[in-house]
């Protein structure tokens, strides 16, 4: 497991306590972060609902992305999660690792197309 910078000492302590007795490896922040290696080697990923970045990076692998729900959130997060579920990329974690596939999002192409459309629209106004 590779916690984010926002996890903090209290969050890490809770994770260690809850995972006690399970075969786990929790990165302690020393040395190089194994996060990208975890993404590459995993068969499926479990990601907390509070990190759009980590969910997006997990989605770029094409592997099943299970979302661990958390209390709180806001309308922006709710829309993001609804979009990811509707695309078949994520599913709420039900306590079991499941397997599914989906077309890997190509955000670079989508962003490029949006920028191109904006440029063309501005050129037409000039």
């Amino acid at each position: 497991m590779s916690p984010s910078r926002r996890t903090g000492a209290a969050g890490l302590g809770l994770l260690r306590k809850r995972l006690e007795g399970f075969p786990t490896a929790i990165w302690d922040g020393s040395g190089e972060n194994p996060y990208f290696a975890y993404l590459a080697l995993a068969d499926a990923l479990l990601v907390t609902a509070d990190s759009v970045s980590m969910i997006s990076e997990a989605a770029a692998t094409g592997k099943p992305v299970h979302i661990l729900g958390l209390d709180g959130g806001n309308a922006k997060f709710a829309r993001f999660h609804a979009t990811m579920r509707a695309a078949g990329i994520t599913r709420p974690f039900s306590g079991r690792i499941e397997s599914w596939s989906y077309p890997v999002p190509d955000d670079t192409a989508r962003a490029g197309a949006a920028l191109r459309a904006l440029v063309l629209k501005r050129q037409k106004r000039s």
Side-chain angles (χ1 to χ4, degrees):
M1 179 181 342
S2 179
S4 79
R5 283 177 263 136
R6 293 185 310 265
T7 303
L12 276 174
L14 180 61
L15 285 169
R16 284 192 176 93
K17 184 176 179 177
R18 294 271 174 96
L19 295 172
E20 194 171 13
F22 290 98
T24 60
I26 302 174
W27 181 55
D28 65 2
S30 63
E32 283 197 47
N33 188 338
Y35 175 65
F36 292 111
Y38 290 163
L39 289 177
L41 295 171
D43 294 322
L45 299 145
L46 282 77
V47 185
T48 56
D50 63 331
S51 178
V52 169
S53 295
M54 291 178 92
I55 293 167
S56 299
E57 290 160 353
T61 68
K63 299 170 184 178
V65 181
H66 299 271
I67 302 301
L68 300 164
L70 299 171
D71 293 336
N74 58 36
K76 181 179 88 170
F77 275 102
R79 284 190 305 273
F80 171 75
H81 288 296
T83 299
M84 296 297 273
R85 277 191 308 273
I89 296 169
T90 64
R91 294 181 186 174
F93 182 59
S94 65
R96 268 189 27 213
I97 302 292
E98 298 178 44
S99 184
W100 68 90
S101 61
Y102 53 89
V104 176
D106 187 354
D107 293 333
T108 302
R110 190 171 54 91
L115 288 171
R116 185 176 193 279
L118 286 171
V119 169
L120 292 174
K121 187 176 178 180
R122 281 204 174 165
Q123 285 177 340
K124 286 180 184 178
R125 281 194 235 153
S126 299

